[in-house]
Amino acid sequence: MPTFIPENIFRSDVDELTPYKPVAPFDVLAEQLGIPVEKIVKLDANENPYGASPRVKAVLAQFPFPHIYPDPAARHLRDALSAYLSVPAEHIIIGSGGDEVIDMLLRLVINPGDAIINTPPTFGMYPINARLNRAEVIDVPRRADFSLDVPAIEQAVANNPRAKVLFLTSPNNPNGGITPMETLERLLRLPILIMWDEAYAEFCGQNTAPLVLKHPNLIVLRTFSKWAGLAGLRLGYGIFPAPIAEMMWRVKSPYNANVLAQEAALASLQDLDYLMDTVQKIIAARDQFLQDVTAIEWLHPYPSHSNFVLAKVGGGRTAEGVQNALKQQGILVRNYTPSGLRGHLRIGIGKPEDMKRLLDTLAKL
Ligand SMILES: Cc1ncc(COP(=O)(O)O)c(C=O)c1O
């Protein structure tokens, strides 16, 4: 009888995939560095330094039904989102983070051999989810200033009739730049579905969701991870044209968004004044940081409409070296060594005191 060979059971395309490199858990790092968790300044994953709203914390502490399955249709949350976005609830599909919504869409539309169009440098999960769903990834790189190369995208769509989804991110991660609405409107004329990822929309006051009602090929992606401080609970959602939303229910697993995530997201929408105040604080800290960082003459930041700043490291220093030196002091930032952004750091915006500690440490490097 032939023996079982574990390596032979994997899909060959999955075996060849480079996994997404998530940031290390900060409590593990704190232990490694011998620094107490509360002294760690975590600026490596664009989380909200103020955390969830007090209302969310109260709701979670008192939640009486963890033993009951969640509502698969997340009715209360989708109704609240409908009011928040000015879009009927039928258009909204909830996921365990925006990441899951990206995966669900690709599971719905990709036949083996289809393709997606990606515009790097941008969020790294699009090509990973695409390849997992057996889609080819066609890269149309952004220009040096990170703006979209619109004619090249149009050409790529014309040349690749099997390209099904174009991923566009605004504000873009990792540089924080926004794509003008006129560009989106122009690209919406193409015969391709556009997933317009607005994970950071609340930091630039953008709401493209109502446009979904006018365009059969537009999907808007949102999350509670960034502005609402719920990254750990995993709650994202998409706003879909009605025919696509209907089909999404077929790929959504019933209990993908857990009860606490749904309750927390709902409580966040009921505490908008508090949360929008923290968003304003983050924006103010970002603008202050962009001013103050000019004192570090070897660090060159790009303008940002989001809760992070991308900066090019110069002056004979390496991004890795700077990242490691900061890490030794308990300050975590993101570096892009393996990608086309070699020599850049992405710095999340923390509280004013976090940014001061970062600047003081940078000044001493
Ligand atoms: C552009 C962009 N889209 C989507 C996500 C996914 O967010 P989540 O899965 O936490 O909702 C992120 C997270 O970093 C992001 O930067």
Side-chain angles (χ1 to χ4, degrees):
M1 208 207 266
T3 47
F4 174 73
I5 306 171
E7 294 78 36
N8 288 356
I9 65 164
F10 303 120
R11 260 169 57 182
S12 53
D13 55 340
V14 174
D15 203 20
E16 284 156 18
L17 270 182
T18 319
Y20 183 75
K21 197 168 163 258
V23 296
F26 78 130
D27 48 344
V28 174
L29 270 174
E31 210 176 303
Q32 278 170 11
L33 295 166
I35 298 175
V37 177
E38 58 282 3
K39 289 268 161 60
I40 297 278
V41 172
K42 192 170 181 323
L43 308 176
D44 58 352
N46 305 338
E47 290 131 335
N48 187 324
Y50 296 94
S53 91
R55 194 165 181 147
V56 167
K57 290 176 193 162
V59 165
L60 294 186
Q62 292 157 16
F63 185 69
F65 305 119
H67 56 295
I68 305 291
Y69 283 106
D71 174 8
R75 288 172 186 81
H76 296 308
L77 175 56
R78 285 170 56 244
D79 284 346
L81 279 171
S82 165
Y84 177 61
L85 301 162
S86 313
V87 170
E90 308 84 88
H91 293 266
I92 302 167
I93 303 282
I94 304 290
S96 172
D99 284 350
E100 198 206 16
V101 181
I102 297 169
D103 185 54
M104 282 195 275
L105 173 73
L106 292 170
R107 274 194 274 152
L108 177 64
V109 302
I110 296 294
N111 285 309
D114 285 343
I116 64 120
I117 298 184
N118 190 35
T119 60
T122 191
F123 182 48
M125 286 306 291
Y126 313 135
I128 292 179
N129 275 324
R131 291 194 180 105
L132 269 176
N133 284 291
R134 297 191 153 107
E136 190 199 332
V137 177
I138 298 163
D139 279 335
V140 181
R142 286 169 181 259
R143 298 199 171 94
D145 65 355
F146 298 104
S147 64
L148 294 175
D149 187 343
V150 175
I153 294 173
E154 288 169 340
Q155 197 58 52
V157 173
N159 292 346
N160 295 281
R162 293 200 65 179
K164 286 246 175 99
V165 188
L166 163 61
F167 284 94
L168 300 177
T169 321
S170 182
N172 190 37
N173 176 5
N175 65 298
I178 47 177
T179 295
M181 275 299 119
E182 306 82 72
T183 304
L184 172 62
E185 301 255 9
R186 173 170 163 180
L187 291 170
L188 280 167
R189 288 188 213 123
L190 294 170
I192 193 167
L193 199 51
I194 294 184
M195 182 167 254
W196 177 258
D197 185 341
E198 281 190 338
Y200 301 93
E202 280 81 359
F203 295 100
C204 68
Q206 192 168 274
N207 180 16
T208 313
L211 268 193
V212 169
L213 306 179
K214 287 200 226 143
H215 295 277
N217 58 336
L218 174 64
I219 295 165
V220 174
L221 184 72
R222 290 283 194 101
T223 179
F224 282 82
S225 292
K226 316 296 179 177
W227 69 281
L230 300 186
L233 282 172
R234 316 299 302 127
L235 203 300
Y237 58 97
I239 303 109
F240 295 81
I244 305 178
E246 269 168 41
M247 291 294 285
M248 284 291 284
W249 291 105
R250 302 192 189 186
V251 292
K252 184 181 121 31
S253 58
Y255 307 124
N256 60 336
N258 73 66
V259 281
L260 295 184
Q262 291 192 32
E263 289 293 321
L266 187 58
S268 300
L269 294 173
Q270 291 161 349
D271 208 0
L272 283 178
D273 286 349
Y274 173 88
L275 285 171
M276 288 308 166
D277 187 50
T278 69
V279 164
Q280 286 311 318
K281 284 188 180 131
I282 293 167
I283 292 171
R286 175 195 72 204
D287 293 343
Q288 187 63 47
F289 174 71
L290 281 168
Q291 271 183 37
D292 295 345
V293 78
T294 52
I296 317 287
E297 67 278 1
W298 49 268
L299 201 56
H300 311 290
Y302 296 86
S304 169
H305 295 267
S306 197
N307 64 338
F308 52 83
V309 166
L310 185 73
K312 193 167 180 357
V313 177
R317 292 165 170 83
T318 65
E320 242 175 335
V322 175
Q323 182 195 32
N324 282 330
L326 290 173
K327 188 163 137 186
Q328 294 315 311
Q329 303 302 317
I331 302 172
L332 312 179
V333 297
R334 175 82 194 263
N335 115 54
Y336 285 90
T337 307
S339 76
L341 278 178
R342 181 172 275 280
H344 289 73
L345 293 174
R346 191 193 65 197
I347 299 164
I349 302 299
K351 294 180 178 170
E353 57 268 33
D354 302 332
M355 303 320 282
K356 181 171 181 329
R357 209 173 116 195
L358 168 68
L359 283 159
D360 290 348
T361 312
L362 286 171
K364 286 189 207 132
L365 290 187

